[in-house]
Amino acid sequence: MDLNNDPVDHIDEKDLGEHIHALVRRLYPICRSITGDGLRKTLRIINSYAALEIREVPSGSRAYDWQIPREWNVRDAYIRDSLGNRVVDFKKNNLHLMGYSVPVNKKAKREELLGHLHTMPEHPDWIPYRYSYYKDDWGFCLSDNALKALNEPEYDVYIDSTLENGHLSYGEAYFPGTSSDEILFSAHACHPSLCNDNLSGLAIAAYLARTIGSKKHRYSYRFLFLPTTIGPLAWLSRNEDKLSRIKHGLVLACLGDAGISTYQESRIGNADTDRAMVVALRDSGTPFNVRPFTPYGYDQRQYCSPGFNLPVGCIMRSPNGCYPEYHTSADNLDFVQPAPLADSFSKILATINVLENDYKYLNLRPKGEPQLGRRGLFDKAAELGLMWILNYSDGHHSLLDIAEISGHRFTFLKEGADALVETGLIKQIS
Ligand code: ZN
């Protein structure tokens, strides 16, 4: 399979970034959290791009050391001044309400209110993103400039939210291949109106699932769209029987900003997943960073915990916490752009292409170099790395190994291997 050469449902590659950005725009206004109707609505929209099973795990269920929390839903929330003006209004921006705020309906003295307000003085126009999932609390987030205008002695505080037994929702898409060995993609779906973290990951995962679902492939593919931390824990605790099939995995996050691609390796560090991603990034010819695993960051923390140690890395552009717009209202529809979204998509697809085509071959004329000229291959020998393929097709080295050793582009080596197979000089053995 050469996914690189196939259009996505006939979407022109140059338009792909626009399509992914359009999905980001569609999801942007929804108030998401780790549970609730905003998360469900998000999964239903993604379901229209990729055939998802939407699963519901009841509140109170165990997931290893954790418990599925109560379900949070919110209809309205505001701070109102004495003239009846909503000076902070959830309906204008869902970041204004701290996630998982308990219901409140009271008058609050300014001093009490200040203890529940969050701002970013270093960026006085931005609204920070805050939540309190596992401790009952309430709060509002606002720009520091808006805070400075709150000079009345008392305000009405209203949060029309519910925290009740319900469910944690997640979406799962599975596309069987010729092998039951799996490649896992995981994207967190719990952040409200924040684009890079992580509508970019969700939208790219949706388009990847749509692409994979429409093609034949060697690996089976599983896509998970779930709330961070508790979502993977819920999935892992209910699917331990499937984990031995996961041969590769990528967490997708922060994929639409202008920064260069950053790959965080799996805990294993030199798993084929890690090596394939690095070769795909190298072959892209654009700058990139690779950093080792740390037990911080996104949901690779769960997949790579020592009880699983799955080969799951994380592909990003600017990493979480490393750009000022992170977890603020400035992570908006301007901060993510079609071109980096399309670029991230193509690099992930190139990684899939490496994994799908990473076979071992055996040189059938290993004593000396075979004469390529009379087989019509001499002119292509240098570009396609034919001598490298012939020399290392010893039954032990795969095309990915040869790509690393030789520095040749993987796609060229695949083309070279196909040509050598056609002339009977090598054969595929695994
Ligand atoms: Zn985040």
Side-chain angles (χ1 to χ4, degrees):
M1 174 175 81
D2 185 356
L3 284 163
N4 275 337
N5 292 333
D6 287 332
V8 181
D9 291 357
H10 309 295
I11 293 171
D12 198 322
E13 199 175 309
K14 73 177 173 40
D15 296 331
L16 182 61
E18 296 288 350
H19 284 266
I20 298 171
H21 197 265
L23 177 53
V24 170
R25 288 200 299 276
R26 195 172 166 196
L27 297 172
Y28 181 66
I30 301 170
C31 179
R32 278 165 292 272
S33 189
I34 57 171
T35 63
D37 290 334
L39 174 59
R40 276 189 200 96
K41 185 174 180 187
T42 298
L43 296 174
R44 281 200 298 273
I45 289 172
I46 293 172
N47 181 45
S48 66
Y49 291 74
L52 288 189
E53 297 282 343
I54 298 176
R55 307 199 192 279
E56 301 278 353
V57 186
S59 302
S61 310
R62 300 299 308 183
Y64 302 115
D65 201 38
W66 297 61
Q67 199 169 24
I68 305 301
R70 289 170 295 165
E71 183 175 325
W72 184 67
N73 284 294
V74 55
R75 287 153 293 280
D76 197 7
Y78 55 80
I79 300 170
R80 198 168 56 190
D81 67 14
S82 58
L83 297 173
N85 300 312
R86 291 185 174 207
V87 292
V88 181
D89 187 355
F90 165 79
K91 289 193 169 167
K92 286 196 175 151
N93 189 325
N94 59 43
L95 293 175
H96 277 312
L97 181 64
M98 184 172 79
Y100 259 68
S101 282
V102 298
V104 175
N105 185 6
K106 67 174 184 180
K107 289 191 182 300
K109 300 273 185 232
R110 184 171 180 276
E111 290 67 35
E112 182 198 354
L113 183 60
L114 288 179
H116 291 272
L117 301 185
H118 306 275
T119 69
M120 296 185 78
E122 66 275 30
H123 293 289
D125 293 329
W126 296 0
I127 306 165
Y129 166 49
R130 294 281 187 279
Y131 48 84
S132 182
Y133 296 142
Y134 300 104
K135 177 172 165 271
D136 280 2
D137 198 1
W138 62 272
F140 284 88
C141 305
L142 63 162
S143 72
D144 205 55
N145 288 336
L147 175 75
K148 289 193 177 107
L150 297 184
N151 294 318
E152 294 193 1
E154 192 174 73
Y155 288 89
D156 290 328
V157 178
Y158 181 70
I159 302 173
D160 181 12
S161 65
T162 47
L163 267 164
E164 295 170 338
N165 281 334
H167 294 83
L168 172 145
S169 317
Y170 67 85
E172 182 167 16
Y174 179 71
F175 304 107
T178 52
S179 164
S180 60
D181 288 348
E182 283 186 20
I183 302 180
L184 173 75
F185 289 95
S186 180
H188 62 277
C190 53
H191 286 27
S193 292
L194 297 168
C195 286
N196 205 33
D197 177 22
N198 186 33
L199 294 179
S200 66
L202 286 179
I204 284 179
Y207 270 92
L208 276 175
R210 184 183 174 112
T211 306
I212 298 291
S214 66
K215 309 210 180 310
K216 288 192 174 7
H217 33 84
R218 165 187 174 193
Y219 281 101
S220 296
Y221 288 80
R222 192 178 300 277
F223 289 83
L224 298 176
F225 301 84
L226 27 64
T228 195
T229 307
I230 190 70
L233 291 169
W235 185 82
L236 286 160
S237 65
R238 284 154 181 76
N239 291 278
E240 284 200 3
D241 59 323
K242 300 188 179 76
L243 302 186
S244 63
R245 298 186 211 156
I246 297 175
K247 304 303 179 195
H248 311 284
L250 285 174
V251 168
L252 309 181
C254 300
L255 289 166
D257 66 283
I260 63 173
S261 293
T262 301
Y263 178 62
Q264 181 170 301
E265 294 170 331
S266 73
R267 183 173 178 271
I268 299 165
N270 62 348
D272 285 355
T273 318
D274 302 312
R275 299 170 54 220
M277 186 82 234
V278 172
V279 162
L281 290 171
R282 181 202 73 182
D283 287 357
S284 75
T286 55
F288 62 95
N289 284 324
V290 178
R291 40 189 224 175
F293 174 79
T294 71
Y296 295 95
Y298 292 113
D299 287 325
Q300 65 273 16
R301 287 163 24 218
Q302 313 311 326
Y303 303 118
C304 297
S305 57
F308 303 123
N309 203 22
L310 295 171
V312 176
C314 178
I315 181 68
M316 301 170 277
R317 299 186 81 86
S318 297
N320 52 299
C322 296
Y323 52 98
E325 295 84 355
Y326 173 73
H327 279 194
T328 77
S329 56
D331 181 1
N332 58 24
L333 289 167
D334 295 326
F335 188 62
V336 299
Q337 286 295 317
L341 288 167
D343 181 68
S344 297
F345 182 92
S346 73
K347 287 168 175 168
I348 297 163
L349 210 52
T351 306
I352 292 172
N353 197 43
V354 171
L355 294 170
E356 284 278 334
N357 291 296
D358 183 29
Y359 291 104
K360 287 178 181 161
Y361 297 86
L362 189 65
N363 184 340
L364 300 174
R365 290 186 179 273
K367 294 181 177 173
E369 290 175 357
Q371 196 181 7
L372 296 180
R374 69 183 163 87
R375 295 179 173 90
L377 291 174
F378 185 77
D379 292 343
K380 291 182 179 171
E383 186 190 28
L384 302 183
L386 298 189
M387 293 308 184
W388 287 103
I389 302 168
L390 285 164
N391 193 291
Y392 278 93
S393 288
D394 52 5
H396 301 293
H397 293 87
S398 73
L399 270 195
L400 176 56
D401 294 322
I402 299 170
E404 288 179 330
I405 295 166
S406 69
H408 278 283
R409 289 168 62 92
F410 186 91
T411 50
F412 288 172
L413 291 171
K414 172 68 171 67
E415 203 181 317
D418 288 346
L420 291 170
V421 167
E422 207 169 299
T423 56
L425 288 173
I426 63 171
K427 70 170 181 181
Q428 184 185 312
I429 55 171
S430 65

